[in-house]
Amino acid sequence: MPEISSEGQNRFRLPLPYRGVNVNFCKNPHCPNFGIAAEVEAQPRGRPTGNHRTPYRVTGASTDASIFCKFCGTHSVIKSNKAVWEEFDRHLQALALPHGHRCLNQACSNHAKPLDSHPEGYYRHGTNASGEARFRCRECRGTFSMSKGHARQRTSHENKTVFQLLVAKVALARIAQVTGLHPKTVYDKIDFIHGQCVKFVADRERRLPEMRLGDMRLATDMQDYMVNWPTKEMRKTIQFRAIATSCLSTGYVLACHPQLDLRMTTLEVHELVEECGDLLRKPAFREFARLWNFEDYARAMQLPSYTFGPTREDQEAPEHMTSDRQLPRQGAMVHIDYLMIGHFKYLRHLLGSADHVYFSLDADPGLPTAVLATWVDRAIAKKIDVAVMSFDKGVTIDEKNRRVLEAAKLRALAEEAYPHLHPFKAWLTYFLVTSGLDQISRTERGERLRKKGIEYPFINKSEPGKRVVLYTDDGRRTGIEIATILHDTSLHQVDRFFMQVRRSIAGLERAPSYPRRASRKWYLYGFYSPDMVEKMLVIFRTYFNYIAKGKDGKTPAMRLGLAKGAVRFEDVLYFE
């Protein structure tokens, strides 16, 4: 469908700020324009003079619109500020305080309106089997009762067993067989366990913004998940991603956000898009810019079959969509750029009291700009570092062992060359000399690390061929300080979490020859509903952070200061 310019688009060349959010500025942290928002109103034609000079120029056609920084020459893709705030708000709901009973249907408008503060949205509808009051929602006609979650279950003694089996890679059918529960009862218990995990984790993580966290080292990566086709009529898999960030020092997974909004469906999104005329607007100006619709899907199908690329003009990261995949019927899929920005904005809210934050990012496109867009105030204050790390993921175990042995030999050479230094400083000094970083100016060093990156030789077994691109070396720090940042850059903790997800959740296991172009494949233990992926990630993150102990006898929550001891399954299940 051709795009036309609306009155707002003629008047405004960029989307308006929304609730204090404006991410349309230069993302180069070394540029004077970094953090300075571009003017949203259309500029007069002709050469600007005096105070009318603008630091940006809007460039590109409808397929690749961006703002061009006139000072450093950086292009920044134009984003919808409303979509950024909406995705941040979606993540923020996980920390919301419970306000009594409400409609259980997440797609219903009354889901956000508790009974105690919005009684006009409900009416009495008899009692349940336990004699407790039941209410009906006036919007969706759904019902709920006033009983406690675990009190109305006839087999509540099986909750712990189901919880334990879920995180022990037992398939749902086998859980029903082992416990003697009906499959529907198993799904009901998963819903209950998920709700308890949400409440328990929110109660703990609401403390984070006020905690004294000191310096934080974080690792961020993404993982693909696949859901079997729900009907035979369309044998196409549903695939989406989840983004997670872990603390490198403690292993605590601070957030894991799937690319799925369960509050509405794709069909509902497309109907709303058509009603408000979104398809006639450029993507960044749309009311529902954050979510996939069928028009976006059709455009993605026009991309060359051998490549993944941005589907719309407001994207810089590729969207993984091919003809053998379909959009979900349950829930709506979030565009990947807005998922990233919302994720990091949520971390900014969660870790506002941290002193200095070091980001280690996977090499997925769009991650560094998403950090710089949301942590801009801390970047200007020189309180964050952003590094992107890549390594050879496909090497064999023998090759890993060989490279680790080479790194050990280099360490020995460094200690021999600088015997008067502490071994760690000897390694860093040896690296600076052999890499040539000590032979160039600090300004040149910053440009080299930002544009080309550098291979770091002192690796561990899990990250062979480590190469780091550092975005925030502005020349203020010594070579040893920069080398320390390169040494500490790692994805180990977040990769460990994702690995444990694969190994512990039967429905999320990586299938044999699992590709991004998944073709028409059906997975034996795979889930049929996308919301099961979101529920299992919440359940497993709770188990991983609070219940599972490491070799030191501590859980990640204990190391971070959110728990004094290991949490029991019962503590989560009966949390009020």
Side-chain angles (χ1 to χ4, degrees):
M1 181 177 294
E3 291 177 347
I4 62 174
S5 296
S6 64
E7 180 181 353
Q9 285 175 292
N10 285 328
R11 179 183 175 187
F12 301 112
R13 62 175 188 165
L14 297 175
L16 292 170
Y18 189 83
R19 299 199 179 188
V21 173
N22 192 346
V23 297
N24 293 311
F25 52 80
C26 178
K27 307 300 191 304
N28 178 4
H30 307 301
C31 176
N33 286 338
F34 175 63
I36 299 177
E39 304 90 339
V40 298
E41 293 191 357
Q43 300 299 299
R45 294 183 178 273
R47 179 174 296 179
T49 58
N51 296 331
H52 295 287
R53 294 183 180 274
T54 173
Y56 301 103
R57 182 174 72 247
V58 176
T59 64
S62 61
T63 55
D64 58 352
S66 63
I67 55 173
F68 173 77
C69 176
K70 296 180 180 179
F71 190 90
C72 69
T74 299
H75 285 268
S76 300
V77 177
I78 298 171
K79 306 289 184 189
S80 166
N81 297 310
K82 180 176 183 290
V84 169
W85 186 90
E86 288 175 343
E87 185 65 6
F88 163 65
D89 185 65
R90 178 174 79 93
H91 301 328
L92 200 61
Q93 294 305 309
L95 299 181
L97 284 167
H99 296 292
H101 297 82
R102 66 188 70 201
C103 179
L104 302 179
N105 182 4
Q106 294 187 358
C108 177
S109 60
N110 277 348
H111 180 67
K113 300 176 182 178
L115 172 64
D116 54 2
S117 58
H118 296 80
E120 69 281 358
Y122 310 92
Y123 62 87
R124 286 289 296 267
H125 187 63
T127 60
N128 63 10
S130 302
E132 293 156 323
R134 179 189 287 135
F135 291 84
R136 183 183 289 278
C137 173
R138 295 185 184 273
E139 290 293 327
C140 70
R141 313 298 291 176
T143 61
F144 61 90
S145 58
M146 301 290 288
S147 60
K148 295 182 179 179
H150 57 271
R152 65 172 175 262
Q153 299 186 43
R154 296 180 180 178
T155 55
S156 60
H157 59 282
E158 295 287 5
N159 289 339
K160 178 180 177 181
T161 303
V162 174
F163 197 161
Q164 291 173 319
L165 294 177
L166 284 174
V167 296
K169 204 175 183 179
V170 181
L172 300 186
R174 188 58 57 86
I175 292 177
Q177 182 181 11
V178 169
T179 60
L181 299 172
H182 190 277
K184 183 181 183 305
T185 305
V186 174
Y187 279 99
D188 289 341
K189 289 193 176 297
I190 291 174
D191 289 342
F192 167 71
I193 294 169
H194 167 258
Q196 290 299 109
C197 289
V198 169
K199 291 190 291 185
F200 178 86
V201 172
D203 182 69
R204 300 297 178 101
E205 292 186 346
R206 276 193 291 267
R207 310 172 192 175
L208 280 172
E210 306 301 327
M211 288 176 60
R212 299 183 63 181
L213 299 171
D215 293 345
M216 294 286 289
R217 294 173 52 235
L218 309 179
T220 301
D221 197 358
M222 292 193 286
Q223 189 173 72
D224 293 324
Y225 297 109
M226 191 164 295
V227 178
N228 288 327
W229 51 80
T231 63
K232 294 182 179 180
E233 285 74 21
M234 185 180 289
R235 298 192 177 190
K236 296 183 178 183
T237 53
I238 300 168
Q239 184 177 336
F240 52 91
R241 314 195 80 185
I243 182 171
T245 295
S246 297
C247 173
L248 283 168
S249 304
T250 65
Y252 189 92
V253 183
L254 292 156
C256 181
H257 296 136
Q259 191 185 356
L260 195 70
D261 190 338
L262 297 173
R263 296 173 297 181
M264 54 198 340
T265 67
T266 303
L267 182 60
E268 290 171 340
V269 170
H270 195 78
E271 289 174 349
L272 291 170
V273 162
E274 289 185 326
E275 287 177 8
C276 70
D278 259 2
L279 297 180
L280 302 178
R281 301 187 180 102
K282 293 183 178 180
F285 288 87
R286 293 178 181 176
E287 286 294 312
F288 298 92
R290 183 175 61 96
L291 301 171
W292 276 79
N293 57 59
F294 294 122
E295 178 80 7
D296 294 337
Y297 180 82
R299 287 190 180 186
M301 294 302 99
Q302 298 172 7
L303 295 174
S305 59
Y306 55 84
T307 184
F308 290 115
T311 304
R312 311 187 316 182
E313 66 170 63
D314 58 337
Q315 296 172 312
E316 50 203 331
E319 295 264 46
H320 303 140
M321 184 62 69
T322 54
S323 59
D324 49 27
R325 296 176 49 201
Q326 62 174 309
L327 295 176
R329 296 188 179 185
Q330 292 179 316
M333 205 157 76
V334 180
H335 282 289
I336 199 72
D337 285 46
Y338 295 112
L339 175 73
M340 294 178 188
I341 299 177
H343 176 82
F344 288 115
K345 188 167 179 59
Y346 174 80
L347 292 177
R348 178 68 184 88
H349 168 80
L350 211 61
L351 306 177
S353 61
D355 293 335
H356 195 107
V357 180
Y358 300 86
F359 284 96
S360 299
L361 309 176
D362 187 59
D364 287 298
L367 284 177
T369 54
V371 175
L372 294 169
T374 51
W375 288 70
V376 56
D377 58 329
R378 301 298 295 272
I380 292 174
K382 314 299 182 185
K383 292 293 185 178
I384 67 166
D385 278 293
V386 180
V388 172
M389 196 194 87
S390 58
F391 61 96
D392 300 330
K393 298 182 179 181
V395 299
T396 63
I397 187 65
D398 293 334
E399 178 65 15
K400 288 182 180 181
N401 290 332
R402 186 187 67 80
R403 296 192 188 185
V404 169
L405 184 60
E406 289 180 354
K409 291 179 180 179
L410 286 177
R411 289 189 181 95
L413 286 176
E415 293 171 18
E416 182 180 348
Y418 304 97
H420 58 289
L421 296 177
H422 183 279
F424 180 65
K425 282 199 171 182
W427 305 343
L428 300 183
T429 304
Y430 183 85
F431 162 71
L432 290 172
V433 172
T434 55
S435 65
L437 288 182
D438 66 333
Q439 302 297 320
I440 57 179
S441 69
R442 294 187 177 186
T443 302
E444 292 175 318
R445 181 190 69 194
E447 283 296 301
R448 176 180 171 184
L449 291 176
R450 184 171 69 90
K451 294 182 177 179
K452 297 181 179 180
I454 194 167
E455 187 169 343
Y456 187 76
F458 301 120
I459 61 169
N460 56 45
K461 194 172 183 177
S462 63
E463 297 169 341
K466 175 179 176 179
R467 186 172 187 84
V468 181
V469 174
L470 182 62
Y471 282 79
T472 47
D473 178 16
D474 60 356
R476 297 178 300 110
R477 289 168 288 194
T478 66
I480 291 293
E481 290 174 317
I482 295 299
T484 301
I485 294 174
L486 300 179
H487 178 88
D488 290 340
T489 299
S490 173
L491 299 174
H492 171 67
Q493 292 290 9
V494 69
D495 285 347
R496 175 174 168 266
F497 169 71
F498 278 140
M499 177 190 68
Q500 291 292 328
V501 168
R502 296 285 195 202
R503 292 182 177 181
S504 303
I505 307 297
L508 301 180
E509 178 185 12
R510 184 187 296 274
S513 67
Y514 177 84
R516 285 185 175 173
R517 294 180 179 90
S519 188
R520 288 177 55 181
K521 293 186 178 180
W522 179 84
Y523 298 101
L524 179 62
Y525 299 114
F527 297 124
Y528 293 89
S529 175
D531 68 334
M532 283 296 296
V533 177
E534 190 270 341
K535 291 173 184 176
M536 293 308 303
L537 287 175
V538 170
I539 291 171
F540 186 77
R541 187 170 83 93
T542 306
Y543 168 78
F544 183 90
N545 282 338
Y546 292 92
I547 299 175
K549 296 180 183 178
K551 294 181 179 179
D552 60 354
K554 296 181 179 180
T555 65
M558 293 169 63
R559 301 186 198 109
L560 187 61
L562 287 177
K564 294 182 179 179
V567 173
R568 302 175 302 159
F569 287 95
E570 294 87 347
D571 296 331
V572 178
L573 292 172
Y574 302 112
F575 175 79
E576 288 293 340

